[in-house]
Amino acid sequence: MSKRTMQRDQIELHQRGMKNTKQRNMVYHVLKQSESPLTADDIFSELQRQSCHISLSTVYRVLELFTDRGLIIKTTLLLQNKAVYEFINKDQTHYLICMHCHRNIPIEYCPVHEIEEDLVRKTQFKIIGHRLDIYGFCPECQKKMDKE
Amino acid sequence: MSKRTMQRDQIELHQRGMKNTKQRNMVYHVLKQSESPLTADDIFSELQRQSCHISLSTVYRVLELFTDRGLIIKTTLLLQNKAVYEFINKDQTHYLICMHCHRNIPIEYCPVHEIEEDLVRKTQFKIIGHRLDIYGFCPECQKKMDKE
DNA sequence: AATGTAAATGCGAATCATTCGCATTTAGTA
DNA sequence: TACTAAATGCGAATGATTCGCATTTACATT
């Protein structure tokens, strides 16, 4: 990781009122470099792989901090009992999920932007992200269930 | 619970290819009578309160079954590490959630219906419900965080 | 640059939601 | 009424997450 990158992150953490520590930077980077949401344990393992020392409890504590500061969001995947974390961005991908086989299909179009402006005006919230899951049955499972 | 109600539920369970058991009916009714999503333990406790015997593992097993059959959905509340279950309905309420104080504000308008028809055509899914959470900071927390 | 202090971390134990194995019971059918 | 596969109860096991406390660290101040 370059010195310049390091410095940029320090500024980002400080701006949000967080102390800058080695561990926080490590977690930050693992999340930043991932394309998909990660569990606490994913992050812990990846850091071990990189020979970076951190304790699992610290990973959890850092994730909680980042979540409270609105840097990342914590959600869960359907049918998994563990939390996943990812950077918040305004163009979150959404999913169509089959309730039976639990297949996930990404949805391109996002209908949320249209109502955002209106919500901001009404609630004074500062909106930083959102999540949309649509539930149903895929064609295959519909067939399977009809047979039963 | 009236005999007529009992019978209606039996038909509903059978139609979806499920055996009708005392325990399934009990869980079904607790969910049906609740306005808000419930955890497995909520359901277990409510049934104990009613002096209805059921084991907690059975509650979990019934909830999993109902989920796979598309009767209910399993989701999680922000910042809680346990699943909640509720009947699926097409007019799910959505929430605006403050990342800092975890306050939930219900949103009236739902932007999902508009894209549903299009999704069905493209994917052949049978859509039965959806969930939308919007993340942000409430006005109070924005102020608090500026001061820090 | 050295110091002081509140905050952050590491470690292991504790907690709590959820799942599993297996013996027993039950729903639905013949 | 009897049969059989499926459902349940119970308690133990699992696995994610949190907590307590001793140690270390960031960073503001001298």
Side-chain angles (χ1 to χ4, degrees):
Chain A
M1 176 191 329
S2 77
K3 217 174 263 176
R4 191 178 300 275
T5 309
M6 268 308 249
Q7 213 159 20
R8 200 166 46 229
D9 304 339
Q10 282 185 25
I11 290 162
E12 174 151 19
L13 293 182
H14 275 148
Q15 273 177 345
R16 293 175 185 252
M18 294 183 265
K19 235 191 221 180
N20 181 277
T21 70
K22 201 160 21 106
Q23 290 83 346
R24 289 177 184 176
N25 271 290
M26 281 154 44
V27 172
Y28 186 101
H29 280 96
V30 173
L31 281 168
K32 196 127 217 176
Q33 278 157 25
S34 168
E35 296 142 10
S36 52
L38 300 175
T39 64
D41 200 65
D42 291 339
I43 295 170
F44 178 65
S45 307
E46 171 57 20
L47 286 170
Q48 289 206 308
R49 206 187 56 74
Q50 297 176 16
S51 310
C52 295
H53 185 83
I54 191 169
S55 108
L56 183 55
S57 353
T58 301
V59 174
Y60 276 106
R61 281 187 286 232
V62 171
L63 289 171
E64 188 184 357
L65 177 72
F66 286 0
T67 303
D68 282 354
R69 299 305 173 123
L71 215 55
I72 61 179
I73 52 174
K74 172 185 184 179
T75 50
T76 45
L77 302 180
L78 192 79
L79 268 255
Q80 293 205 242
N81 295 313
K82 49 189 164 183
V84 293
Y85 302 83
E86 66 185 318
F87 269 91
I88 288 179
N89 75 321
K90 287 259 178 191
D91 298 300
Q92 217 79 38
T93 307
H94 304 306
Y95 295 93
L96 185 55
I97 300 159
C98 176
M99 303 286 290
H100 200 68
C101 67
H102 310 141
R103 199 148 60 94
N104 278 239
I105 302 198
I107 301 166
E108 307 270 312
Y109 177 65
C110 171
V112 177
H113 295 303
E114 298 162 15
I115 63 166
E116 249 190 54
E117 201 183 311
D118 196 44
L119 272 179
V120 171
R121 198 169 42 243
K122 280 187 187 143
T123 63
Q124 316 278 12
F125 260 62
K126 180 176 175 194
I127 292 177
I128 55 179
H130 60 266
R131 173 193 185 161
L132 171 64
D133 292 333
I134 300 183
Y135 305 108
F137 294 111
C138 70
E140 289 74 20
C141 287
Q142 285 175 55
K143 277 178 218 149
K144 265 185 238 153
M145 294 173 79
D146 283 346
K147 280 185 205 145
E148 276 166 21
Chain B
M1 176 190 329
S2 78
K3 217 173 264 177
R4 191 178 301 274
T5 309
M6 268 307 248
Q7 215 159 18
R8 199 165 46 228
D9 304 340
Q10 282 184 27
I11 291 163
E12 174 150 20
L13 292 182
H14 275 148
Q15 274 178 343
R16 295 176 183 250
M18 295 184 264
K19 236 190 220 178
N20 181 278
T21 69
K22 202 160 20 108
Q23 290 83 348
R24 289 177 184 177
N25 271 290
M26 280 154 45
V27 171
Y28 186 101
H29 279 98
V30 173
L31 281 168
K32 196 127 218 176
Q33 278 157 25
S34 167
E35 297 142 9
S36 52
L38 300 175
T39 64
D41 200 66
D42 290 339
I43 295 170
F44 179 64
S45 308
E46 171 57 18
L47 286 170
Q48 289 207 307
R49 206 187 55 74
Q50 296 176 18
S51 310
C52 297
H53 184 82
I54 191 169
S55 106
L56 183 55
S57 353
T58 301
V59 175
Y60 276 106
R61 281 186 287 231
V62 171
L63 289 171
E64 189 184 357
L65 178 72
F66 286 180
T67 303
D68 281 355
R69 299 305 173 122
L71 216 55
I72 61 178
I73 54 175
K74 171 185 183 178
T75 51
T76 45
L77 302 180
L78 193 79
L79 269 252
Q80 293 204 243
N81 295 314
K82 50 190 163 183
V84 292
Y85 302 83
E86 66 185 318
F87 269 92
I88 288 179
N89 75 322
K90 287 260 179 191
D91 299 300
Q92 217 77 37
T93 307
H94 304 308
Y95 296 93
L96 187 54
I97 301 159
C98 176
M99 304 286 290
H100 202 252
C101 66
H102 310 142
R103 199 148 60 96
N104 279 241
I105 302 197
I107 301 165
E108 308 269 313
Y109 177 65
C110 170
V112 177
H113 295 303
E114 299 162 16
I115 63 166
E116 249 191 52
E117 202 183 310
D118 196 45
L119 272 180
V120 170
R121 199 171 41 243
K122 280 188 187 143
T123 64
Q124 316 276 15
F125 261 61
K126 180 175 174 193
I127 292 178
I128 55 180
H130 61 266
R131 175 196 183 158
L132 171 63
D133 292 331
I134 300 182
Y135 305 107
F137 294 111
C138 70
E140 289 73 21
C141 287
Q142 285 175 55
K143 276 177 218 150
K144 265 184 238 154
M145 293 173 80
D146 284 346
K147 279 185 204 145
E148 275 166 24

